[in-house]
Amino acid sequence: GGVWAGGRGGSPAAAQARRMKGPDELEIVAFERGHFSSYSACGVPYWVGGAVGDREQLIARSPEEHRARSIDLRMRTEVTGIDVAGGRVRARDLDTGEESWTSYDKLVIATGATPLRPELPGIDLPGVHGVQTLDDGQALIDTLSRTTGRRAVVVGAGYIGVEMAEAMINHGFEVTVVNRGKEPMSTLDPDMGRLVRTAMEGLGITMVDDAAVTAVLAGEDGRVRAVVAGDREFPADVVVLGMGVRPQTALAEAAGLPLGASGGLLTDLGMRVRGHENVWAGGDCVEVLNLVSGQQQHVPLGTHANKHGQVIGANVGGGYATFPGVVGTAVSKVCDLEIARTGLREKDALRVGMRFRAVTVESTSRAGYYPGASPMTVKMLAEERTGKLLGVQIVGREGAAKRVDVAAVALTAGMTVEQMTALDLGYAPPFSPVWDPVLVAARKAAAAVRPHTV
């Protein structure tokens, strides 16, 4: 039987399936549209920014390594059609233009997500860059090395936007971030997003909020010279798009496969596409169950893509595995500011009809008297009356972001904030105050949902 795979979830799926079944039992064919296989897309902003010195460090497995494991990996080959009824896929060799059909017994779809690139005048001008793939990263690095001007405009202030703002600062650019929202990081509540904006301004970044880009202007040399938002122009020698992504599921939709509200493929616990016995999907092209809200959502992260791949590979290879869902954990940084979130924001909890209390505490990363202690803000949401933890957001300096993992485990376990206050966390003055910031928030939340609690 043949397997078709591509993208972040596809490579682990192929590798796991191969571990389960030898080449005589399972033939694996994989199609990859780009020049590179099995790389960390999450690492691209850090390579562009200079923290990662060499592109090769981001590549987990080369095409040769895949082929050595009897995975027939066809690079620079784009799948152009899926015939579910006929059990075959149509693919085009991008170098020769030749198209051909390949039959399958089992199909894995891992087409990933595509960056939002609105159809605006000038959006395709030289000097305007997305940063989704290694090819994108290389193109941006080439532009940065050629550009004499030092003004960068980043469009969007989500994870990619703030990471690329840092990358541009590292290259010595004056950075302006144009953001459609009221505050950066819409994955946070606005009060926590405001902390991010203040810190970014402190780093010398110009933040422009509540501004929708309407056009990109060209200079006399035909390259980008400015970004237009409303009645304002922002001069730009390079423009980086960080406006988020959407699932790349046009092929799947054309094949009649089921999509959810955000356009991602819908699967069961084993990552099988719903209603289709021999089709699986994973990575950024699927919707996943949020265990806290009980709703399907699109959460494009490498952690999930790799887990999906493991689950799919096990199932395709004749074993059994499931992916139960996510709690929505994500971390990021811009220079020395760390940003973390898990669970529900206030608006998520309101949307699913939950009654909750939100508390915010200021604490420090270490004992206040220990050198290097830095402030952090922790916001916690707990359900009214039950006291069940619903979400945590943290903004701070060194040592802030990974503290969210305690909350991610508590959410997965369905703990109450009162139960959290008794957690036996690691303590010594270099690592935390005697009450860890997450537990300080849990105490305050416990008092808020049950007024008689100490």
Side-chain angles (χ1 to χ4, degrees):
V3 176
W4 167 62
R8 283 205 286 196
S11 175
Q16 179 66 21
R18 176 55 75 229
R19 281 192 284 273
M20 308 274 297
K21 289 266 171 83
D24 300 340
E25 302 171 284
L26 183 67
E27 178 197 350
I28 301 177
V29 179
F31 298 102
E32 166 55 52
R33 190 171 58 180
H35 290 91
F36 305 98
S37 68
S38 303
Y39 61 86
S40 166
C42 309
V44 171
Y46 302 103
W47 164 46
V48 172
V52 177
D54 184 1
R55 182 175 76 191
E56 303 306 311
Q57 291 173 264
L58 299 181
I59 298 173
R61 281 202 186 98
S62 68
E64 293 70 34
E65 288 173 284
H66 280 297
R67 292 180 190 123
R69 306 177 75 164
S70 301
I71 294 168
D72 178 1
L73 175 57
R74 302 177 189 178
M75 300 297 293
R76 299 277 298 143
T77 308
E78 180 171 16
V79 172
T80 55
I82 301 170
D83 173 11
V84 176
R88 57 184 192 156
V89 296
R90 187 172 176 83
R92 180 195 301 127
D93 183 315
L94 293 176
D95 294 324
T96 66
E98 265 179 65
E99 293 215 8
S100 59
W101 288 98
T102 302
S103 296
Y104 68 81
D105 300 314
K106 297 174 180 182
L107 173 66
V108 179
I109 300 175
T111 43
T114 183
L116 292 170
R117 198 179 182 107
E119 289 184 25
L120 297 174
I123 199 80
D124 294 321
L125 282 171
V128 180
H129 292 269
V131 281
Q132 177 79 353
T133 65
L134 284 188
D135 291 311
D136 294 340
Q138 189 61 63
L140 176 53
I141 287 171
D142 293 345
T143 289
L144 295 177
S145 63
R146 284 197 306 264
T147 303
T148 49
R150 303 318 286 164
R151 291 170 305 190
V153 172
V154 178
V155 182
Y159 297 106
I160 296 294
V162 300
E163 287 165 7
M164 291 315 301
E166 173 180 347
M168 295 300 101
I169 281 182
N170 291 350
H171 281 278
F173 280 72
E174 285 176 42
V175 180
T176 301
V177 177
V178 180
N179 172 35
R180 208 172 47 189
K182 287 199 165 22
E183 301 290 350
M185 299 302 292
S186 62
T187 53
L188 303 178
D189 284 322
D191 53 337
M192 298 297 279
R194 199 164 303 129
L195 298 177
V196 176
R197 172 162 51 102
T198 303
M200 289 177 75
E201 287 172 341
L203 294 164
I205 296 167
T206 302
M207 299 297 295
V208 182
D209 296 309
D210 256 341
V213 172
T214 50
V216 181
L217 304 181
E220 288 176 9
D221 58 358
R223 294 179 50 75
V224 62
R225 82 168 169 82
V227 169
V228 181
D231 55 0
R232 300 171 70 187
E233 264 185 37
F234 301 97
D237 303 298
V238 61
V239 174
V240 183
L241 303 177
M243 304 163 80
V245 296
R246 65 167 174 265
Q248 196 157 292
T249 48
L251 271 177
E253 186 175 25
L257 299 177
L259 304 185
S262 60
L265 277 155
L266 295 174
T267 69
D268 64 13
L269 282 174
M271 304 307 298
R272 230 186 213 100
V273 174
R274 289 185 197 172
H276 293 270
E277 188 64 24
N278 295 315
V279 184
W280 285 261
D284 293 358
C285 66
V286 304
E287 292 188 10
V288 292
L289 175 66
N290 184 307
L291 298 170
V292 191
S293 69
Q295 297 195 327
Q296 296 287 326
Q297 66 182 113
H298 182 235
V299 188
L301 284 175
T303 45
H304 308 160
N306 275 281
K307 291 184 186 108
H308 296 167
Q310 294 281 320
V311 168
I312 292 167
N315 292 331
V316 166
Y320 177 71
T322 60
F323 181 80
V326 306
V327 293
T329 311
V331 295
S332 189
K333 79 179 202 54
V334 52
C335 298
D336 66 343
L337 182 77
E338 298 186 2
I339 306 158
R341 54 101 61 226
T342 190
L344 307 184
R345 298 166 297 181
E346 290 194 29
K347 70 177 182 185
D348 303 322
L350 288 168
R351 189 164 55 232
V352 293
M354 287 176 163
R355 295 181 59 183
F356 63 90
R357 292 292 184 95
V359 301
T360 303
V361 300
E362 306 280 333
S363 185
T364 53
S365 56
R366 301 169 172 175
Y369 54 77
Y370 193 90
S374 59
M376 76 175 69
T377 305
V378 181
K379 179 173 183 175
M380 185 172 283
L381 271 61
E383 191 171 22
E384 193 86 69
R385 292 172 63 187
T386 67
K388 199 170 165 185
L389 179 69
L390 296 180
V392 170
Q393 300 165 41
I394 306 174
V395 175
R397 306 287 166 173
E398 187 192 359
K402 286 294 277 179
R403 275 189 157 83
V404 83
D405 288 342
V406 170
V409 174
L411 278 171
T412 306
M415 293 178 76
T416 68
V417 287
E418 202 165 338
Q419 287 170 330
M420 285 179 73
T421 61
L423 283 173
D424 186 9
L425 303 185
Y427 160 69
F431 298 101
S432 79
V434 68
W435 278 90
D436 188 88
V438 173
L439 299 191
V440 176
R443 281 178 75 173
K444 190 169 179 180
V449 292
R450 291 211 183 85
H452 59 271
T453 310
V454 176

